[in-house]
């Protein structure tokens, strides 16, 4: 991972952060800081990978792929988890 000193907020990234903020807000009047939203998104990604790995012994690969496949976590039948970013 390359470390950068600034985070460029494109319009699309701003919309995604706003939508994610709504998901973790305590109520409609809560406005969590961006760092909390980013921390929650990172934690969710890490936990999703762990959940997928744990489910591999219980469920068939097609079911896991149908439920867990996203634009971030790409699952191929009977192979590994890979990131589609970059």
């Amino acid at each position: 991972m390359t470390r950068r000193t600034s985070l460029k907020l494109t319009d699309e990234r701003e919309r995604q952060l706003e939508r994610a903020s709504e998901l973790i807000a305590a109520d409609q009047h809560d406005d969590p800081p961006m760092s909390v939203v980013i921390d929650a998104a990172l934690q969710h990604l890490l936990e999703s990978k762990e959940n997928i790995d744990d489910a591999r012994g219980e469920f068939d690969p097609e079911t896991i792929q149908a439920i867990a496949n996203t634009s971030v976590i790409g699952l191929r039948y009977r192979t590994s988890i890979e990131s589609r970013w970059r």
Side-chain angles (χ1 to χ4, degrees):
M1 173 175 67
T2 303
R3 298 208 182 260
R4 298 186 180 163
T5 57
S6 64
L7 177 65
K8 297 197 188 284
L9 293 179
T10 62
D11 290 341
E12 178 60 24
R13 188 174 283 162
E14 188 74 40
R15 281 190 291 275
Q16 288 176 329
L17 283 167
E18 185 61 35
R19 289 178 61 202
S21 177
E22 292 169 2
L23 291 174
I24 63 168
D27 58 37
Q28 64 185 13
H29 304 293
D30 186 22
D31 186 20
M34 188 185 323
S35 61
V36 171
V37 176
I38 292 170
D39 288 347
L42 292 171
Q43 187 63 35
H44 181 268
L45 180 61
L46 295 171
E47 288 178 10
S48 293
K49 183 191 179 308
E50 290 174 11
N51 290 341
I52 291 167
D53 290 344
D54 291 345
R56 288 187 188 266
E58 292 182 50
F59 300 98
D60 62 278
E62 295 95 341
T63 300
I64 295 171
Q65 185 179 29
I67 293 171
N69 205 31
T70 69
S71 62
V72 176
I73 298 176
L75 300 175
R76 287 192 240 159
Y77 183 70
R78 294 183 182 256
T79 60
S80 63
I81 297 172
E82 63 186 42
S83 173
R84 293 186 183 183
W85 295 101
R86 293 198 169 240

